[in-house]
Amino acid sequence: VPVLLFVAAPYIRRYVAGGRCKSTARLEGKVVIITGANTGIGKETARDLAQRGKCSARVIIACRDIAKAEAAASEIRAETGNQQVIVKKLDLADTKSIREFAENFLAEEKELHVLINNAGVMLCPYSKTADGFEMHLGVNHLGHFLLTFLLLECLKQSAPARIVNVSSLAHHGGRIRFHDLHGEKSYNRGLAYCHSKLANVLFTRELARRLQGKFQRQVGLTANALHPGSVSSELVRHSLVMTWVWKIFSFFLKTPCEGAQTSIYCAVAEELESVTGQYFSDCQPAYVSPRGRDDETAKKLWRVSCELLGIQWD
């Protein structure tokens, strides 16, 4: 058995690694925002996009932990030679921070070509954001919903542009529980994560529908979602059990670089220039759960999200 495992190991790893982004698209003069890019797949996405072209893209790492973000940015600048890897403060658990980030960005930058909503929390003990939202819903969905709303006009004016939402296969286990969105009646942290990832898929679907209906032909702004795969990262840090499981089975998990491939693919692949409202895994279209294709739920979630955030987004 050990011999068989040794022989099979390279093939197993190749299968686990999944698809790779083969695009050689260059990003000279482009401006990119990646949330949560101080670690994991966000950091690897930033590293890849930072080195696409001689006059590389301006890559903005938007994170809550400035110290970790600066360390990541310094590493990427040294490795790629791109000095335009910039750190900006963004706490998705606080709408005040989101608004301040967007206000500062719009005051300093004229264009935005790629917005990658990558940051996320997973398996958090029950807690709420600064605005009283359940943490998974608040950070993974509502935070990115508000950020996208605030930056949308800049994206339109910079078109062709792309919005990339990092969701998960876990959306298959999710439901939008409108009667208990914030888990005050019942709470399971695993299911809360699934619910938020389903919200990502539904948000992408409704956003694409609205853009396509009103603006797509004119501005070329697309929105797509993706599953990065099961990645060895800090995302499971809130669960001691999952942390140990991840360590034990790390051989069967993607590395952060492997997990970043579909994010990169959605951000740069030439063949996706006019593709919108889709869901990808391993750099190819993937199956969306029936709940993730429910247009009525998507529309209602949009309305409720706007109400919770106190915004009008028609």
Side-chain angles (χ1 to χ4, degrees):
V1 172
V3 173
L4 286 173
L5 287 174
F6 179 78
V7 172
Y11 301 98
I12 295 172
R13 275 304 311 158
R14 197 174 306 155
Y15 175 78
V16 169
R20 293 195 67 84
C21 177
K22 298 177 182 178
S23 171
T24 58
R26 299 159 76 87
L27 296 178
E28 280 100 343
K30 303 297 184 182
V31 180
V32 179
I33 292 175
I34 310 174
T35 66
N38 62 321
T39 187
I41 65 173
K43 179 181 175 183
E44 295 305 321
T45 302
R47 192 195 308 276
D48 180 282
L49 301 187
Q51 58 191 355
R52 287 182 174 263
K54 292 182 180 179
C55 300
S56 304
R58 184 170 174 82
V59 178
I60 297 173
I61 293 177
C63 294
R64 178 174 54 86
D65 191 324
I66 294 296
K68 283 187 177 181
E70 287 289 0
S74 178
E75 178 186 318
I76 294 170
R77 286 193 292 264
E79 181 179 318
T80 65
N82 183 352
Q83 299 307 305
Q84 295 193 89
V85 179
I86 310 298
V87 171
K88 296 292 182 183
K89 172 79 172 181
L90 173 65
D91 184 355
L92 287 161
D94 186 346
T95 58
K96 182 180 178 182
S97 173
I98 298 169
R99 290 182 179 278
E100 287 177 354
F101 170 85
E103 183 179 343
N104 292 336
F105 173 85
L106 294 172
E108 296 171 3
E109 306 288 344
K110 295 180 180 179
E111 296 180 305
L112 175 59
H113 303 94
V114 182
L115 170 62
I116 303 180
N117 291 320
N118 165 83
V121 294
M122 180 180 180
L123 302 176
C124 298
Y126 188 75
S127 57
K128 290 187 175 182
T129 68
D131 302 273
F133 310 139
E134 187 277 315
M135 189 62 69
H136 292 90
L137 182 77
V139 172
N140 297 353
H141 169 59
L142 291 171
H144 284 128
F145 188 96
L146 178 60
L147 179 65
T148 305
F149 165 76
L150 295 171
L151 298 177
L152 192 68
E153 287 304 317
C154 186
L155 283 158
K156 288 179 187 175
Q157 293 167 13
S158 309
R162 304 185 188 192
I163 298 165
V164 179
N165 294 325
V166 179
S167 181
S168 170
L169 182 70
H171 85 270
H172 286 269
R175 293 179 61 190
I176 305 302
R177 304 168 69 247
F178 290 108
H179 67 287
D180 190 24
L181 272 179
H182 304 296
E184 294 169 330
K185 297 178 181 177
S186 65
Y187 180 75
N188 177 290
R189 54 185 177 175
L191 289 177
Y193 176 72
C194 295
H195 302 333
S196 70
K197 294 291 103 177
L198 174 59
N200 293 154
V201 172
L202 292 169
F203 168 46
T204 304
R205 187 177 183 88
E206 179 63 8
L207 175 59
R209 186 189 70 81
R210 287 167 175 256
L211 291 175
Q212 201 164 33
K214 293 184 178 180
F215 311 109
Q216 177 65 19
R217 290 193 182 91
Q218 290 77 21
V219 304
L221 175 57
T222 62
N224 290 297
L226 66 100
H227 167 55
S230 297
V231 183
S232 179
S233 71
E234 296 180 7
L235 194 59
V236 296
R237 64 186 178 276
H238 292 292
S239 170
L240 183 61
V241 172
M242 287 300 295
T243 299
W244 277 105
V245 169
W246 248 228
K247 287 182 179 179
I248 293 169
F249 293 100
S250 60
F251 182 79
F252 300 99
L253 299 175
K254 290 185 178 186
T255 65
C257 181
E258 291 163 351
Q261 294 305 305
T262 307
S263 294
I264 297 165
Y265 174 74
C266 289
V268 305
E270 298 89 340
E271 62 266 32
L272 299 187
E273 187 174 337
S274 59
V275 174
T276 191
Q278 301 301 305
Y279 172 74
F280 295 87
S281 179
D282 283 327
C283 301
Q284 60 186 0
Y287 178 74
V288 178
S289 75
R291 290 193 181 105
R293 289 180 269 120
D294 188 329
D295 289 333
E296 290 309 309
T297 300
K299 291 173 185 176
K300 184 174 180 180
L301 177 63
W302 186 283
R303 292 195 303 271
V304 171
S305 298
C306 287
E307 290 169 6
L308 289 170
L309 293 165
I311 60 176
Q312 287 187 322
W313 190 354
D314 297 321

